[in-house]
Amino acid sequence: MHIDILTLFPGMFCGPFEESILKRAQEAGLISLAVHNIRDWAPGKHRQCDDTPYGGGGGMVMKPEPIFNAVEAVLGMAPGDLAPCPIILLTPQGRQFTQQVAHELARHERLALVCGRYEGVDERVRAHLVTDEISIGDYVLSGGELAAMVIVDAVTRLLPDALGDPGATLHDSHANGLLEHPHYTRPVVFRGWPVPEILLSGHHAHLARWRREQSLLRTWERRPDLLQEAQLSEADRAYLETLQAEASS
Ligand code: 6GU
């Protein structure tokens, strides 16, 4: 997979792309990341990329020309060509990024991420250049850069072989629509707090049921909204009913 990132602040990506999973996935050739400075495509001596909004109102708006030029050059498009891959604008007005969207993006061979800044981008970028708009949540960031990093990270760890262990993402929180069960490692007693006995028992069927119930319990306590969409077995529903019954008694 290849991801082009277009930004006014390429330096922001240095740390996050050079550590841990993202570093290893690039070294292994699973993903290549190219960060491009939109300013390199801005015409004029001052390479101006923003300007005041028509109609007033204060703040600054990203100009369309540098963004169109940058995207077309990076993707090898002529003006008016059909997009060769998803061209995604990061904006608080976009559709909400979720694990499902991460899976959807991970299916593509190539993505272009355009980072918005200031009060916004000229509407013609939305109307005539990008193919999708994504937000990472209902809060305001200073620009799309951090959102682009979030998306690159979430997508990369879904690529086959990125994590070493092929089953590693199967039990992630949100992977199956539920929050994950709790984890423990050595020592077996830490400051007087023991590891749950079931984890030491070696009884695989009981252990699987315990993990599933812990996952259901966590989700029920913290994110009951997720239970609406989750795939639940008869046993899962019965367990959730015992939680409800306990809570209302
Ligand atoms: Cl993608 N951009 C900005 N500026 N703020 C955000 C966001 C994106 N997602 C959540 N907040």
Side-chain angles (χ1 to χ4, degrees):
M1 176 166 212
H2 179 77
I3 303 183
D4 290 297
I5 295 160
L6 297 97
T7 170
L8 288 172
F9 299 96
M12 286 182 71
F13 293 85
C14 292
F17 286 0
E18 287 162 19
E19 302 278 353
S20 187
I21 303 270
L22 289 181
K23 176 184 179 173
R24 285 205 301 277
Q26 289 174 91
E27 286 170 353
L30 298 173
I31 190 160
S32 52
L33 303 171
V35 181
H36 310 277
N37 192 341
I38 292 169
R39 195 170 300 279
D40 294 344
W41 283 276
K45 192 171 82 183
H46 299 291
R47 302 209 169 270
Q48 187 184 348
C49 289
D50 62 337
D51 207 337
T52 53
Y54 277 118
M60 295 297 267
V61 176
M62 283 177 79
K63 292 163 69 65
E65 187 176 13
I67 300 178
F68 272 80
N69 287 349
V71 169
E72 286 164 357
V74 164
L75 296 183
M77 300 162 67
D81 275 1
L82 225 53
C85 69
I87 304 173
I88 302 166
L89 178 66
L90 286 324
T91 159
Q93 298 187 11
R95 65 187 174 118
Q96 164 87 47
F97 187 65
T98 61
Q99 193 64 20
Q100 193 185 326
V101 175
H103 276 282
E104 184 187 313
L105 298 182
R107 286 199 296 268
H108 293 275
E109 266 173 32
R110 185 167 195 182
L111 298 173
L113 305 179
V114 179
C115 302
R117 270 270 152 180
Y118 309 113
E119 270 49 64
V121 306
D122 186 283
E123 189 65 18
R124 288 162 291 192
V125 169
R126 282 209 159 81
H128 305 295
L129 183 65
V130 305
T131 62
D132 198 358
E133 298 179 42
I134 291 179
S135 160
I136 61 165
D138 292 341
Y139 39 80
V140 182
L141 301 170
S142 315
E145 284 78 8
L146 290 165
M149 294 176 212
V150 165
I151 290 171
V152 168
D153 187 284
V155 168
T156 301
R157 60 198 305 296
L158 292 177
L159 301 178
D161 305 328
L163 302 184
D165 172 1
T169 60
L170 277 176
H171 302 288
D172 283 349
S173 289
H174 300 292
N176 60 4
L178 298 174
L179 302 184
E180 210 181 353
H181 58 76
H183 299 275
Y184 294 87
T185 187
R186 278 178 283 278
V188 69
V189 180
F190 173 69
R191 297 192 178 175
W193 300 303
V195 166
E197 226 167 288
I198 180 98
L199 296 177
L200 312 174
S201 71
H203 195 304
H204 292 291
H206 288 177
L207 184 55
R209 194 60 223 158
W210 180 84
R211 285 189 167 146
R212 182 70 182 177
E213 289 182 356
Q214 289 292 311
S215 171
L216 290 163
L217 174 61
R218 285 239 144 145
T219 310
W220 180 77
E221 287 172 338
R222 299 178 182 207
R223 292 293 306 278
D225 57 300
L226 296 178
L227 292 171
Q228 306 305 314
E229 299 297 320
Q231 298 248 342
L232 301 175
S233 69
E234 279 306 308
D236 293 340
R237 291 184 194 285
Y239 175 69
L240 288 168
E241 270 164 36
T242 68
L243 294 179
Q244 282 306 352
E246 267 174 52
S248 51
S249 73

